[in-house]
């Protein structure tokens, strides 16, 4: 869909050139300022693994990682991300195409049904593991926990931290188990 | 799996699982089509009236805008059987949110901006969206959804009720509910010469093709409908919805492939909802606990353009033995969006009310609620008098009670606490009918020793590819890994939808038949197979839809434990446990996920989900996922699903009953009953949100019995 941004829209002055590194590959794109990261991924780069469930930051289906942190990609204007590193669900497999341990755990646990929330759940869980490792507390973290130390993730922590990722199929118990499998 | 053991029942991994976890599975908006553009509907801004003008100039002046379709210029279609599909044909506005224009532009941003620039003028009429139990326009329809008679009556329910020693006369209220599958309703339409190819998020592509061929007057062989991966449906994608009609119109008008991905906020008003139901239940029993009368009366709403009556009193015709009964539905036509199917239509709200009332009756009798249900088990289906093909509700209740630790329960309400928390447990029964429809299928044996089964089944998350391969492997007597299944394309043999918990039974029956026939052919031939293999076809018309002399239903039992915070009014479910009797379970892994998914939706119905018709504006106030709360991770604790081995020779060759909906039926009642047990207060209006709970806790508790 990159071809859609040709002369007609350039004239409006509402476009900018943005460079994003997505799953290790740099892309320089001429982007409509209204375009959110999710639509860059899906429309410009053909990376449809990131899903659009609400387009309003309410469901988490679009979760991706920007500079290592999880984001609702439907809420981020891509023009603000010049120079950022983006990882999507497609970028989690290793070089040989083998699934990431979390992806494997989701398969082993049957942690999905329709699969539409799944890429977001998995990217979110990757973010959760990093946040806990870096000592970010959550609402359910014991306040006595030493700051800056890794937070141990039990089921309650995982549930709390993944609560921005809705699953209407109700795969929650299996998703928590899948995350526990890789801790 | 290898060897000769049956492939049925094994916990085989989902065949598309790897694609789903790596992002490779493509849904309806995700098929690469050069030149594809995007459309955005403009929803009606009034609840009732007529469009008098649509000003499109400003929209068309915006960069990227390609077309604005309105009732003036949209392609004419043949009048559809489903009036909700007659979009952009007349200026009439039957409810707020009805599409009054469709903007097509090159990108999603441009389509959205242009849609906002369309200005619509209306002639507004007075509207009424308020459902009340005594609405003056309430009428008794001939039939409720799924063809059930609106009224059934036997014995003298009023007389029996009046003279009974123990009585419960209670009203329950279930608000409108929204399906909200995670993938919004989406269709991409593409004219390839004179062929129409549609990628759509639907529970059944065969029906989508039939509707499109009728609406656009096309021969069937020029229409292909692909529904490869579908991001959930829960009934709301059971039949084509306006997105697919709009996409085809826009593709025809612009000559480009067009995607219509309905914005989340548009869904409640155009894809159907579970209608609100107002229930009145009157249960009468003798002092020993045997029912002497059961009356379940339901009032619900439907729209001006379509009659859909949620059949919520129907499960009361199945559940308990009673010498006198009346079950009755009334509907009110209002200026509301058209209701439709949502997971277990009828059973879900109906069993919430009936199973809550049974709990109240147990309280009034001073009897254990499990024992009360067992005592009132019928020998035959109460309404029809037919024998059950199998009914193991008692076993589900007993097994669930054992696993849950029910015998340790102190039956007194409000007897258990932890600081500011009150704790309680509850039970409820579940039922869902066995539905099955005719399907075609094809099975092919290839010279390399592999097999392919082909049927236009749809995988909305159930694992249809996997379970159909299991059915085939079992019928052929070959290892599962030698069987491939092809589904999700209308060029495959025609099949009914994934709905009514009937998909696996319907498709599986035809796959089983084709494979049995193929096995016969293979057994009687010698020498190598030709390059293209040999093929057997099956059609179960006349077989799968034949009348059964048996009443066929699945049953189950739910148990729940809750903690109610007396300070905040918050109800938290601590654990849920379900035991089901649903014939033979064909894939233990995917079946468990379906049961638990249904139970989770029941948790939402009990505690978080509720929509409201705004009386002044005539729309749903909770239209998006920020205001309509589907359960999130933190809401969902330990949920367990179990089943008992049930053999039933009167179903289909696999011996299976549907499992997609029963997990949802009764789960909200179990939670509500647990809240009563915890607090001693009976809440009769869902969902049990903190505002209601706090208000209820502030009322003086007079008695725990029958609350
Ligand atoms: S699509 Fe981004 S949060 Fe829902
Ligand atoms: S797997 Fe369907 S929404 Fe999560």
């Amino acid at each position: 869909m990159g071809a859609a941004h040709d002369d007609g829209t350039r004239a409006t002055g509402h476009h900018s050139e943005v460079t994003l590194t997505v799953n290790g590959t740099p892309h320089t794109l001429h982007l409509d300022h209204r375009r959110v990261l999710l639509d860059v991924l899906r429309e410009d780069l053909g990376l449809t693994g990131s899903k659009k469930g609400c387009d309003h930051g309410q469901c988490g289906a679009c979760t991706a990682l920007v500079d290592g942190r999880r984001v609702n990609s439907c809420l981020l204007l891509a023009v603000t991300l010049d120079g950022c590193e983006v990882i999507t669900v497609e970028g989690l497999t290793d070089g040989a195409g083998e699934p990431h341990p979390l992806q494997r755990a989701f398969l082993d646990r049957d942690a999905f049904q329709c699969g539409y929330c799944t890429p977001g759940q998995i990217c979110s869980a990757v973010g959760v593991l990093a946040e806990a490792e870096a000592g970010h507390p959550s609402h359910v973290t014991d306040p006595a926990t030493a700051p800056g130390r890794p937070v141990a993730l039990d089921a309650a922590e995982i549930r709390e931290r993944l609560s921005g990722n809705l699953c209407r199929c109700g795969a929650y118990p299996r998703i928590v188990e899948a995350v526990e499998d890789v801790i | 799996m290898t060897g000769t053991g049956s492939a049925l029942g094994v916990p085989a991994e989902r065949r598309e699982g790897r694609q789903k976890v790596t992002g490779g599975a493509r849904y309806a908006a995700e098929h690469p089509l050069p030149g594809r553009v995007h459309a955005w509907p403009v929803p009606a801004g009034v609840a009732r009236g007529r469009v008098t003008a649509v000003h499109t100039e400003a929209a068309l002046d915006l960069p990227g805008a390609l077309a604005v379709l309105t009732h003036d210029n949209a392609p004419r279609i043949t009048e559809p059987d489903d009036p909700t599909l007659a979009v952009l044909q007349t200026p009439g506005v039957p409810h707020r949110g009805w599409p009054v224009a469709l903007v097509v532009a090159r990108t999603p941003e441009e389509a959205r901006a242009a849609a906002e620039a369309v200005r619509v003028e209306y002639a507004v009429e007075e509207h009424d969206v308020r459902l009340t139990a005594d609405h003056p326009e309430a009428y008794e329809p001939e039939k409720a959804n799924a063809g059930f008679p609106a009224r059934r009556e036997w014995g003298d329910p009023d007389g029996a009720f009046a003279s009974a020693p123990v009585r419960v006369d209670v009203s329950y209220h279930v608000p409108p509910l929204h399906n909200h599958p995670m993938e919004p309703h989406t269709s991409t339409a593409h004219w390839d010469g004179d062929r129409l190819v549609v990628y759509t998020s639907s529970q059944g592509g065969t029906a989508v093709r039939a509707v499109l061929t009728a609406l656009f007057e096309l021969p069937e062989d020029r229409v292909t409908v692909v529904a490869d991966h579908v991001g959930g449906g829960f009934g709301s994608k059971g039949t084509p919805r306006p997105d697919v009609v709009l996409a085809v119109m826009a593709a025809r008008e612009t000559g480009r492939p067009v995607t219509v991905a309905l914005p989340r906020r548009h869904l409640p008003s155009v894809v159907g909802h579970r209608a609100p139901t107002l229930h009145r239940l009157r249960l009468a029993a003798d002092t020993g606990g045997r029912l002497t009368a059961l009356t379940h009366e339901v009032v619900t709403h439907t729209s001006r353009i379509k009659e859909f009556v949620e059949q919520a009193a129907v499960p009361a015709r199945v559940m308990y033995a009673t010498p006198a009964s009346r079950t009755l539905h009334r509907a009110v036509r209002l200026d509301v969006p058209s209701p439709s199917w949502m997971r277990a239509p009828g059973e879900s709200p109906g069993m919430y009310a009936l199973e809550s009332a049974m709990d109240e009756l147990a309280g009034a009798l001073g009897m254990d609620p499990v024992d009360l249900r067992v005592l009132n088990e019928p020998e035959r289906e109460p309404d029809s008098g037919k024998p059950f093909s199998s009914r193991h509700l008692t076993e589900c209740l007993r097994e669930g009670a054992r696993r849950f630790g029910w015998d340790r329960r102190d039956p007194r309400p409000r007897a258990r606490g932890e600081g500011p928390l009150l704790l309680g447990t509850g039970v409820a029964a579940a039922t869902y009918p066995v539905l099955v429809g005719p399907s075609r299928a094809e099975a092919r044996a290839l010279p390399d020793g592999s097999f392919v089964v082909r049927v236009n089944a749809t995988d909305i998350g159930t694992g249809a590819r996997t379970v159909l391969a299991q059915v085939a492997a079992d019928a052929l007597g070959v290892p599962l890994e030698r069987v491939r299944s092809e589904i999700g394309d209308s060029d495959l043999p025609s099949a009914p939808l994934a709905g009514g918990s009937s998909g696996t039974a319907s498709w599986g029956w035809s796959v089983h038949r084709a494979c049995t026939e193929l096995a016969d052919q293979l057994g009687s031939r010698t020498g190598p197979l030709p390059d293209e293999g040999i093929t057997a076809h099956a059609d179960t018309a006349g077989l799968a839809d034949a009348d059964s002399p048996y009443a066929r239903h699945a049953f189950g039992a739910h148990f729940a434990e809750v903690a109610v915070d007396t300070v905040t009014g918050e109800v938290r479910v601590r654990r849920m446990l379900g035991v089901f009797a649903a014939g033979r379970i064909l894939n233990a892994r995917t079946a468990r996920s379906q049961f638990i998914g249904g139970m989770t939706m029941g948790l939402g119905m009990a505690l978080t989900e509720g929509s409201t018709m705004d009386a002044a504006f005539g729309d749903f106030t909770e239209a998006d996922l920020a205001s309509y709360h589907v359960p999130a991770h933190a809401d969902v604790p330990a949920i367990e699903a179990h089943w008992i081995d049930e053999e039933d020779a009167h179903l289909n060759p696999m011996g299976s009953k549907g499992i997609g909906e029963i997990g949802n039926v009764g789960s909200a009642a179990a939670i509500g009953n647990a809240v009563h047990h915890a607090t001693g207060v009976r809440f009769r209006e869902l969902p049990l949100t903190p505002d209601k709970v706090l208000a209820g806790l502030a009322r003086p508790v007079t008695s725990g019995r029958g609350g």
Side-chain angles (χ1 to χ4, degrees):
Chain A
M1 290 297 299
H5 308 284
D6 52 18
D7 47 358
T9 47
R10 200 183 293 269
T12 66
H14 295 309
H15 286 66
S16 294
E17 207 153 85
V18 178
T19 299
L20 296 172
T21 302
V22 181
N23 299 332
T25 308
H27 298 273
T28 299
L29 302 153
H30 188 65
L31 294 179
D32 187 325
H33 292 170
R34 296 167 296 184
R35 180 145 285 204
V36 291
L37 175 60
L38 178 60
D39 287 326
V40 171
L41 298 171
R42 289 170 63 84
E43 304 299 323
D44 297 300
L45 304 180
L47 292 170
T48 53
S50 303
K51 303 302 180 197
K52 189 181 283 190
C54 69
D55 216 10
H56 276 64
Q58 300 167 351
C59 76
C62 63
T63 306
L65 298 155
V66 172
D67 292 340
R69 298 187 59 169
R70 55 192 175 139
V71 298
N72 285 334
S73 66
C74 70
L75 289 184
L76 284 183
L77 294 169
V79 68
T80 67
L81 301 176
D82 193 35
C84 287
E85 293 260 357
V86 181
I87 305 284
T88 69
V89 72
E90 292 94 339
L92 294 177
T93 49
D94 70 10
E98 276 308 300
H100 183 281
L102 257 171
Q103 292 172 317
R104 187 65 247 168
F106 267 61
L107 289 171
D108 292 342
R109 292 287 181 176
D110 203 45
F112 56 94
Q113 291 192 62
C114 78
Y116 202 77
C117 74
T118 311
Q121 302 277 0
I122 291 173
C123 287
S124 192
V126 170
V128 165
L129 297 177
E131 287 159 26
E133 184 60 32
H136 298 190
S138 82
H139 174 66
V140 301
T141 306
D142 181 350
T145 310
R149 293 277 190 72
V151 181
L153 291 179
D154 58 12
E157 280 278 5
I158 296 167
R159 279 184 204 123
E160 174 63 27
R161 291 168 188 259
L162 282 180
S163 281
N165 291 87
L166 301 178
C167 175
R168 192 53 159 159
C169 296
Y172 297 128
R174 301 285 92 83
I175 293 171
V176 173
E177 288 171 1
V179 176
E180 286 179 312
D181 283 351
V182 301
I183 293 172
Chain B
M1 102 146 234
T2 51
T4 51
S6 172
L8 283 186
V10 303
E13 187 174 301
R14 289 168 198 271
R15 296 189 154 208
E16 65 291 337
R18 194 152 162 149
Q19 278 173 285
K20 284 183 173 173
V21 300
T22 56
R26 289 192 188 271
Y27 297 74
E30 300 172 353
H31 295 265
L33 291 168
R36 187 268 299 259
V37 296
H38 298 264
W40 197 284
V42 178
V46 301
R48 178 172 178 160
R50 199 164 41 80
V51 173
T52 52
V54 185
H55 301 285
T56 61
E57 310 76 21
L60 286 167
D61 276 350
L62 287 173
L66 298 170
V68 181
L69 275 59
T70 69
H71 69 271
D72 281 327
N73 64 3
R76 297 298 100 181
I77 55 174
T78 304
E79 191 179 333
D81 291 338
D82 178 352
T84 66
L85 299 181
V87 284
L88 305 183
Q89 301 299 298
T90 74
V93 174
H95 59 79
R96 193 179 273 265
W98 175 261
V100 292
L102 183 77
V103 175
V104 190
R106 288 174 306 182
T107 70
E109 299 84 2
E110 289 166 343
R112 179 180 180 171
E116 272 157 25
V118 172
R119 205 161 53 75
V120 185
E121 290 178 40
Y122 305 91
V124 183
E125 293 166 29
E126 284 290 304
H127 67 263
D128 178 9
V129 298
R130 245 189 293 206
L131 177 67
T132 51
D134 55 356
H135 198 287
E137 284 168 35
Y139 68 99
E140 189 177 319
E142 206 176 302
K143 301 233 185 258
N145 176 48
F148 290 102
R151 175 195 286 261
R152 295 288 292 167
E153 194 165 331
W154 64 85
D156 172 17
D158 297 328
F161 185 82
S163 61
V166 185
R167 294 186 284 188
V168 165
D169 181 351
V170 283
S171 297
Y172 289 90
H173 179 188
V174 181
L177 298 172
H178 300 306
N179 310 61
H180 278 316
M182 288 311 298
E183 182 197 20
H185 296 59
T186 300
S187 297
T188 301
H190 167 44
W191 289 89
D192 183 4
D194 62 357
R195 277 191 70 73
L196 173 64
V197 181
V198 172
Y199 302 91
T200 189
S201 188
S202 173
Q203 292 171 228
T206 299
V208 177
R209 182 181 61 182
V211 166
L212 293 179
T213 53
L215 262 50
F216 292 91
E217 295 177 6
L218 295 163
E220 211 166 68
D221 60 0
R222 276 173 39 202
V223 181
T224 299
V225 175
V226 179
D228 204 3
H229 299 289
V230 177
F234 314 110
S236 69
K237 298 174 183 171
T239 49
R241 302 292 143 126
D243 54 292
V244 70
V245 178
L246 293 170
V248 175
M249 285 180 176
R252 177 171 265 184
E253 212 49 25
T254 61
R256 316 264 302 252
V258 178
T259 292
V260 176
L262 291 181
R264 176 64 61 182
R265 286 190 65 87
H266 291 199
L267 298 190
S269 53
V270 289
V271 305
H273 61 280
R274 190 193 304 287
T277 42
L278 309 175
H279 304 253
R280 182 167 180 204
L281 279 123
R282 273 169 288 176
L283 305 184
D286 62 26
T287 49
R290 274 187 203 282
L291 285 170
T292 54
L294 191 174
T295 303
H296 191 169
E297 292 165 321
V298 174
V299 183
T300 185
H301 77 202
T302 188
S303 73
R304 298 275 179 204
I305 56 172
K306 184 172 175 174
E307 183 182 80
F308 178 96
V309 179
E310 180 95 14
Q311 73 274 30
V314 165
R317 300 171 186 172
V318 175
M319 285 304 295
Y320 300 113
T322 176
S325 170
R326 180 189 309 120
T327 46
L328 167 62
H329 303 82
R330 284 200 197 86
V332 185
R333 286 187 192 281
L334 296 173
D335 303 299
V336 294
S338 298
S340 177
W341 306 314
M342 176 164 164
R343 204 173 205 167
E347 278 75 19
S348 181
M351 286 292 278
Y352 161 68
L354 177 60
E355 290 301 289
S356 301
M358 284 296 279
D359 200 63
E360 300 210 42
L361 181 64
L365 287 157
M367 204 172 160
D368 179 80
V370 170
D371 292 341
L372 175 67
R373 288 174 172 86
V374 171
L375 179 71
N376 285 288
E377 272 286 282
E379 278 178 17
R380 294 174 159 249
E381 187 181 57
D383 184 49
S384 68
K386 285 183 179 181
F388 289 101
S389 66
S390 56
R391 175 170 171 132
H392 293 101
L393 174 56
T394 298
E395 289 76 0
C396 291
L397 286 162
R398 297 286 186 220
E399 172 70 2
R402 186 185 68 75
R403 287 177 178 272
F404 191 77
W406 186 257
D407 60 345
R408 295 191 296 276
R409 179 188 199 241
D410 180 341
R412 291 170 306 150
R414 210 175 177 126
R416 206 151 64 95
E418 264 174 26
L421 304 179
L422 294 171
L423 308 180
T425 53
V427 62
T431 186
Y432 194 80
V434 171
L435 305 175
V436 59
S439 176
R440 297 180 184 193
E442 184 186 300
R444 181 173 300 176
L446 293 165
D448 65 0
S450 70
F451 299 84
V452 185
V453 289
R454 306 173 77 232
V455 52
N456 188 22
T458 320
D459 186 2
I460 54 172
T462 57
R465 283 178 188 80
T466 315
V467 78
L468 292 176
Q470 290 177 266
V471 170
D474 176 67
L476 291 162
V478 302
L480 179 55
E481 59 272 11
R482 293 215 336 243
V483 183
R484 205 154 51 77
S485 50
E486 290 179 17
I487 66 167
D489 188 318
S490 68
D491 293 346
L492 297 166
S494 304
L497 81 162
S501 295
S502 68
T504 301
S506 307
W507 313 321
W509 196 332
S510 62
V511 164
H512 188 276
R513 208 171 154 81
C515 289
T516 309
E517 158 76 22
L518 183 65
D520 284 351
Q521 287 184 30
L522 288 170
S524 62
R525 66 172 283 138
T526 49
L529 296 180
D531 285 353
E532 72 282 8
I534 60 167
T535 304
H537 301 270
D539 183 350
T540 58
L543 195 61
D545 47 350
D547 274 343
S548 171
Y550 294 96
R552 302 185 293 188
H553 306 267
F555 291 92
H558 293 277
F559 293 80
E561 178 173 358
V562 301
V564 181
D565 191 317
T566 54
V567 177
T568 65
E570 187 183 23
V571 179
R572 306 279 300 169
V573 171
R574 290 200 164 176
R575 58 191 177 113
M576 281 174 88
L577 186 149
V579 179
F580 303 95
R584 186 164 184 186
I585 298 301
L586 303 180
N587 180 321
R589 167 195 296 245
T590 51
R592 177 168 284 112
S593 290
Q594 281 205 68
F595 286 132
I596 288 176
M599 293 166 77
T600 304
M601 207 176 269
L603 186 157
M605 177 179 174
L607 299 184
T608 62
E609 295 182 39
S611 195
T612 324
M613 260 290 147
D614 183 292
F617 290 99
D619 60 356
F620 288 117
T621 39
E622 295 89 353
D624 62 15
L625 295 171
S627 49
Y628 185 89
H629 295 159
V630 310
H633 273 278
D635 298 317
V636 180
I639 300 193
E640 287 176 38
H642 304 275
W643 48 87
I644 60 169
D645 290 327
E646 183 174 70
E647 283 194 20
D648 186 332
H650 310 295
L651 301 170
N652 58 52
M654 297 81 68
S656 63
K657 297 176 178 176
I659 57 172
E661 291 164 273
I662 190 162
N664 182 240
V665 179
S667 44
I671 293 170
N673 294 340
V675 171
H676 171 261
H677 183 232
T679 61
V681 181
R682 181 65 67 174
F683 298 93
R684 300 192 180 92
E685 182 175 348
L686 293 182
L688 306 181
T689 43
D691 52 326
K692 293 186 196 122
V693 172
L694 276 183
L697 290 175
R699 285 196 299 267
V701 179
T702 45
S703 152
R705 288 199 167 185

